[in-house]
Amino acid sequence: MTLVFTIFLLGLAVLVYPLRRNRFYLLNAALVIGAAYFAENHLFRVENIFSYKIILLFLMFHLICINLTTFIAYGIDKHAAVRRAWRVPENDLHMLEFLGGWIGARLGQKIFRHKTAKKSFQNMYRLMIVLEFMAIWIILKFLGLV
Protein backbone atom coordinates (compact mmCIF):
# COMPACT_ATOMS: atom_id res chain seq x y z
CA MET A 1 0.00 0.00 0.00
CA THR A 2 2.78 2.44 0.91
CA LEU A 3 4.62 1.71 -2.32
CA VAL A 4 1.49 2.25 -4.43
CA PHE A 5 0.72 5.55 -2.69
CA THR A 6 4.33 6.67 -3.14
CA ILE A 7 4.40 5.83 -6.83
CA PHE A 8 1.05 7.53 -7.43
CA LEU A 9 1.80 10.77 -5.54
CA LEU A 10 5.35 11.24 -6.75
CA GLY A 11 4.39 10.19 -10.29
CA LEU A 12 1.71 12.85 -10.24
CA ALA A 13 4.32 15.42 -9.15
CA VAL A 14 6.59 14.39 -12.03
CA LEU A 15 3.82 14.54 -14.64
CA VAL A 16 2.12 17.78 -13.53
CA TYR A 17 4.58 20.68 -13.63
CA PRO A 18 2.79 23.01 -11.15
CA LEU A 19 2.81 20.23 -8.56
CA ARG A 20 6.54 19.74 -9.03
CA ARG A 21 7.18 23.39 -8.14
CA ASN A 22 4.80 23.40 -5.16
CA ARG A 23 6.84 22.58 -2.03
CA PHE A 24 3.71 22.11 0.01
CA TYR A 25 2.47 19.37 -2.33
CA LEU A 26 5.63 17.43 -1.51
CA LEU A 27 4.89 17.93 2.20
CA ASN A 28 1.39 16.60 1.58
CA ALA A 29 2.78 13.58 -0.30
CA ALA A 30 5.17 12.86 2.58
CA LEU A 31 2.33 13.05 5.13
CA VAL A 32 0.10 10.73 3.08
CA ILE A 33 2.92 8.23 2.57
CA GLY A 34 3.80 8.39 6.27
CA ALA A 35 0.17 7.77 7.24
CA ALA A 36 -0.02 4.82 4.83
CA TYR A 37 3.20 3.37 6.23
CA PHE A 38 1.91 3.68 9.79
CA ALA A 39 -1.46 2.15 8.92
CA GLU A 40 0.12 -0.71 7.00
CA ASN A 41 2.66 -1.60 9.67
CA HIS A 42 0.73 -0.92 12.87
CA LEU A 43 -3.00 -1.12 12.19
CA PHE A 44 -3.76 -3.81 9.61
CA ARG A 45 -2.34 -5.97 6.86
CA VAL A 46 -3.28 -5.27 3.26
CA GLU A 47 -4.38 -8.26 1.22
CA ASN A 48 -5.44 -6.55 -2.01
CA ILE A 49 -4.00 -3.13 -2.77
CA PHE A 50 -6.60 -2.49 -5.48
CA SER A 51 -9.69 -2.91 -3.31
CA TYR A 52 -12.17 -0.10 -2.86
CA LYS A 53 -11.24 0.08 0.84
CA ILE A 54 -7.65 1.01 -0.03
CA ILE A 55 -8.86 3.66 -2.48
CA LEU A 56 -11.15 5.13 0.18
CA LEU A 57 -8.31 4.97 2.72
CA PHE A 58 -6.07 6.86 0.28
CA LEU A 59 -8.75 9.53 -0.23
CA MET A 60 -9.21 9.87 3.53
CA PHE A 61 -5.45 10.20 4.12
CA HIS A 62 -5.18 12.67 1.25
CA LEU A 63 -8.03 14.90 2.44
CA ILE A 64 -6.77 15.03 6.02
CA CYS A 65 -3.18 15.71 4.95
CA ILE A 66 -3.98 18.26 2.22
CA ASN A 67 -6.13 20.29 4.61
CA LEU A 68 -3.40 20.18 7.26
CA THR A 69 -0.79 21.16 4.66
CA THR A 70 -2.93 24.03 3.36
CA PHE A 71 -3.50 25.32 6.88
CA ILE A 72 0.28 25.22 7.50
CA ALA A 73 0.92 27.03 4.20
CA TYR A 74 -1.43 29.85 5.21
CA GLY A 75 0.29 30.11 8.58
CA ILE A 76 3.74 30.26 6.98
CA ASP A 77 2.56 32.86 4.47
CA LYS A 78 1.04 35.02 7.21
CA HIS A 79 4.21 34.78 9.28
CA ALA A 80 6.29 35.76 6.24
CA ALA A 81 3.96 38.66 5.47
CA VAL A 82 4.40 40.05 8.97
CA ARG A 83 8.20 39.69 8.75
CA ARG A 84 8.27 40.96 5.14
CA ALA A 85 10.12 37.80 4.09
CA TRP A 86 9.69 35.32 1.23
CA ARG A 87 5.99 34.65 0.62
CA VAL A 88 4.16 31.57 -0.55
CA PRO A 89 3.01 32.21 -4.14
CA GLU A 90 -0.76 32.60 -4.48
CA ASN A 91 -0.78 29.97 -7.23
CA ASP A 92 0.61 27.43 -4.75
CA LEU A 93 -2.13 28.27 -2.26
CA HIS A 94 -4.79 27.95 -4.97
CA MET A 95 -3.35 24.61 -6.13
CA LEU A 96 -3.61 23.27 -2.57
CA GLU A 97 -7.21 24.50 -2.39
CA PHE A 98 -8.05 22.79 -5.69
CA LEU A 99 -6.53 19.50 -4.52
CA GLY A 100 -9.01 19.40 -1.65
CA GLY A 101 -7.52 21.73 0.93
CA TRP A 102 -10.20 24.40 0.80
CA ILE A 103 -11.37 23.61 4.34
CA GLY A 104 -7.83 24.06 5.65
CA ALA A 105 -7.60 27.25 3.59
CA ARG A 106 -10.79 28.60 5.12
CA LEU A 107 -9.57 27.79 8.62
CA GLY A 108 -6.21 29.39 7.83
CA GLN A 109 -7.91 32.51 6.55
CA LYS A 110 -10.07 32.81 9.66
CA ILE A 111 -7.51 31.87 12.32
CA PHE A 112 -4.55 33.77 10.88
CA ARG A 113 -6.73 36.59 9.47
CA HIS A 114 -4.90 36.21 6.21
CA LYS A 115 -6.00 36.83 2.61
CA THR A 116 -9.54 37.74 3.68
CA ALA A 117 -9.66 41.34 2.43
CA LYS A 118 -8.18 40.76 -1.02
CA LYS A 119 -11.20 40.35 -3.31
CA SER A 120 -9.29 38.87 -6.26
CA PHE A 121 -7.85 36.16 -4.00
CA GLN A 122 -11.28 35.38 -2.51
CA ASN A 123 -12.81 35.13 -5.99
CA MET A 124 -10.09 32.69 -7.08
CA TYR A 125 -10.60 30.75 -3.82
CA ARG A 126 -14.28 30.32 -4.62
CA LEU A 127 -13.46 29.38 -8.22
CA MET A 128 -11.09 26.64 -6.97
CA ILE A 129 -13.90 25.15 -4.87
CA VAL A 130 -16.27 25.15 -7.86
CA LEU A 131 -13.61 23.64 -10.15
CA GLU A 132 -12.84 20.92 -7.62
CA PHE A 133 -16.50 19.91 -7.36
CA MET A 134 -16.81 20.00 -11.14
CA ALA A 135 -13.76 17.72 -11.46
CA ILE A 136 -15.24 15.30 -8.92
CA TRP A 137 -18.55 15.28 -10.77
CA ILE A 138 -16.81 14.62 -14.12
CA ILE A 139 -14.81 11.75 -12.61
CA LEU A 140 -17.92 10.21 -11.04
CA LYS A 141 -19.79 10.63 -14.34
CA PHE A 142 -16.92 8.96 -16.23
CA LEU A 143 -16.95 6.05 -13.77
CA GLY A 144 -20.71 5.71 -14.18
CA LEU A 145 -21.47 6.45 -10.55
CA VAL A 146 -23.74 9.44 -11.24
Side-chain angles (χ1 to χ4, degrees):
M1 176 172 73
T2 305
L3 181 64
V4 172
F5 286 9
T6 304
I7 291 169
F8 178 74
L9 290 169
L10 296 181
L12 200 58
V14 168
L15 294 175
V16 181
Y17 180 72
L19 292 180
R20 193 177 330 148
R21 288 187 21 243
N22 192 331
R23 294 179 184 146
F24 291 103
Y25 175 77
L26 297 178
L27 172 63
N28 175 61
L31 289 173
V32 171
I33 292 165
Y37 178 79
F38 178 80
E40 188 174 34
N41 289 315
H42 298 290
L43 299 179
F44 58 88
R45 271 296 196 221
V46 176
E47 301 298 325
N48 180 7
I49 60 171
F50 297 110
S51 70
Y52 72 93
K53 290 180 183 179
I54 298 301
I55 295 169
L56 291 176
L57 189 64
F58 171 76
L59 289 175
M60 183 187 73
F61 285 162
H62 172 73
L63 286 176
I64 291 169
C65 293
I66 195 70
N67 280 294
L68 179 64
T69 303
T70 306
F71 182 78
I72 290 169
Y74 271 82
I76 289 172
D77 192 41
K78 175 63 176 190
H79 183 68
V82 169
R83 289 183 25 230
R84 297 188 183 267
W86 172 85
R87 302 281 304 274
V88 177
E90 286 186 0
N91 289 340
D92 289 359
L93 294 174
H94 291 312
M95 180 64 69
L96 293 171
E97 295 160 4
F98 177 74
L99 292 174
W102 56 273
I103 296 171
R106 192 66 175 162
L107 288 174
Q109 290 174 10
K110 292 296 182 186
I111 290 173
F112 300 120
R113 294 184 187 145
H114 189 53
K115 299 283 190 187
T116 55
K118 192 174 180 184
K119 295 295 182 195
S120 63
F121 187 88
Q122 287 299 312
N123 289 336
M124 186 59 81
Y125 167 74
R126 291 181 188 98
L127 178 64
M128 288 298 115
I129 295 172
V130 169
L131 289 176
E132 179 187 351
F133 281 112
M134 286 175 55
I136 290 170
W137 185 81
I138 289 169
I139 291 169
L140 291 175
K141 187 82 169 166
F142 177 76
L143 294 174
L145 299 174
V146 207

